[in-house]
Amino acid sequence: MNIRNLKFCVLIVVFASLFSCSSNQTKEAESTEVENVDTTTIVVEEVKEEVKEDNELIIYEKSFLGLSSDMKISDYKGTLEKGLLQTGEGDFEKFDVKDKDGNVVAYFVPFEEKVGSITVTSELAKTEDGIKIGDTFGTLLDKYPNLKVYGSEIEGYTQAIVNDELGYRLDEQHYNYELKTSEIKKETKIIEITIK
């Protein structure tokens, strides 16, 4: 009878050991699953940040939204809409450039079959060095002390030119063509940015 009780006790100990091992394995597996879920969440957040950066409206020295001044209009893959630009010099056919959400962010007056100068009008757009519509002439002058400024005799259209590539229309009127930077108020706002 002692041997029989001893065998029974050994069997209970072995069974208890097996049960406790499988229980620990289950807890480890549950812990691993929770960690995997957290890792997945982090990866998804990183992807969202990358997409946000890709959707920014960046004004490059020679292009905006894949549109450049020397390309054929028919080669552009984005959304364009025909319109009319009315100025003191006359009425001109223009194309509005739309972003992925259908908002007008720029326009251009075509030159023959090519795009020509692109004028960005969206306050969300910014140049590679961070200049945007709404910034002041003083900010622009601090960044580019050698810029040139011009007025126009008919409309008083005033523009600051940087590196002969980008033009910044200013919210100030001057009817003289040649201007000095000292003639422009530093608090005057940028109202358009043009890619030449």
Side-chain angles (χ1 to χ4, degrees), residues 159-194:
Q159 191 172 40
I161 306 292
V162 175
N163 300 330
D164 295 327
E165 298 294 337
L166 292 177
Y168 298 84
R169 183 172 180 188
L170 304 173
D171 192 17
E172 194 171 300
Q173 292 184 326
H174 289 274
Y175 293 90
N176 297 329
Y177 179 71
E178 291 185 27
L179 297 170
K180 295 178 183 176
T181 56
S182 60
E183 295 179 74
I184 311 290
K185 295 177 192 156
K186 289 195 174 186
E187 62 272 11
T188 299
K189 303 279 187 190
I190 296 168
I191 56 174
E192 291 179 340
I193 301 173
T194 302

Side-chain angles (χ1 to χ4, degrees), residues 54-73:
D54 289 343
N55 288 336
E56 288 186 7
L57 297 173
I58 304 296
I59 303 166
Y60 296 100
E61 224 175 63
K62 297 190 183 273
S63 69
F64 179 67
L65 288 178
L67 190 67
S68 63
S69 58
D70 60 349
M71 76 186 300
K72 286 186 176 181
I73 298 168

Side-chain angles (χ1 to χ4, degrees), residues 102-125:
N103 301 312
V104 175
V105 293
Y107 70 88
F108 64 88
V109 175
F111 179 71
E112 297 175 359
E113 294 180 12
K114 293 192 175 183
V115 172
S117 297
I118 303 159
T119 301
V120 179
T121 56
S122 172
E123 293 179 0
L124 300 176

Side-chain angles (χ1 to χ4, degrees), residues 6-191:
L6 185 61
K7 286 181 179 178
F8 182 71
C9 286
V10 169
L11 185 62
I12 288 176
V13 169
V14 169
F15 180 72
S17 296
L18 286 174
F19 180 74
S20 80
C21 286
S22 69
S23 175
N24 285 341
Q25 287 175 347
T26 303
K27 287 180 184 175
E28 287 176 11
E30 289 173 1
S31 296
T32 303
E33 288 177 20
V34 170
E35 289 174 11
N36 286 342
V37 169
D38 289 343
T39 303
T40 303
T41 302
I42 291 169
V43 169
V44 169
E45 288 173 1
E46 288 174 1
V47 168
K48 284 181 182 175
E49 287 177 10
E50 287 175 12
V51 169
K52 183 179 177 184
E53 289 174 11
D54 289 343
N55 288 336
E56 288 186 7
L57 297 173
I58 304 296
I59 303 166
Y60 296 100
E61 224 175 63
K62 297 190 183 273
S63 69
F64 179 67
L65 288 178
L67 190 67
S68 63
S69 58
D70 60 349
M71 76 186 300
K72 286 186 176 181
I73 298 168
S74 58
D75 290 341
Y76 183 58
K77 304 297 181 206
T79 305
L80 299 174
E81 184 175 274
K82 279 188 178 182
L84 187 66
L85 178 65
Q86 297 177 316
T87 70
E89 297 175 3
D91 295 347
F92 303 94
E93 179 186 36
K94 73 169 181 165
F95 286 88
D96 288 326
V97 181
K98 295 187 174 185
D99 66 7
K100 64 177 184 57
D101 297 323
N103 301 312
V104 175
V105 293
Y107 70 88
F108 64 88
V109 175
F111 179 71
E112 297 175 359
E113 294 180 12
K114 293 192 175 183
V115 172
S117 297
I118 303 159
T119 301
V120 179
T121 56
S122 172
E123 293 179 0
L124 300 176
K126 61 183 175 181
T127 62
E128 290 178 277
D129 56 3
I131 301 290
K132 60 189 180 315
I133 292 170
D135 285 348
T136 64
F137 176 68
T139 303
L140 187 64
L141 190 58
D142 287 345
K143 207 167 263 239
Y144 300 104
N146 296 324
L147 61 76
K148 297 174 185 168
V149 288
Y150 300 97
S152 80
E153 294 177 2
I154 295 175
E155 294 185 77
Y157 177 102
T158 304
Q159 191 172 40
I161 306 292
V162 175
N163 300 330
D164 295 327
E165 298 294 337
L166 292 177
Y168 298 84
R169 183 172 180 188
L170 304 173
D171 192 17
E172 194 171 300
Q173 292 184 326
H174 289 274
Y175 293 90
N176 297 329
Y177 179 71
E178 291 185 27
L179 297 170
K180 295 178 183 176
T181 56
S182 60
E183 295 179 74
I184 311 290
K185 295 177 192 156
K186 289 195 174 186
E187 62 272 11
T188 299
K189 303 279 187 190
I190 296 168
I191 56 174

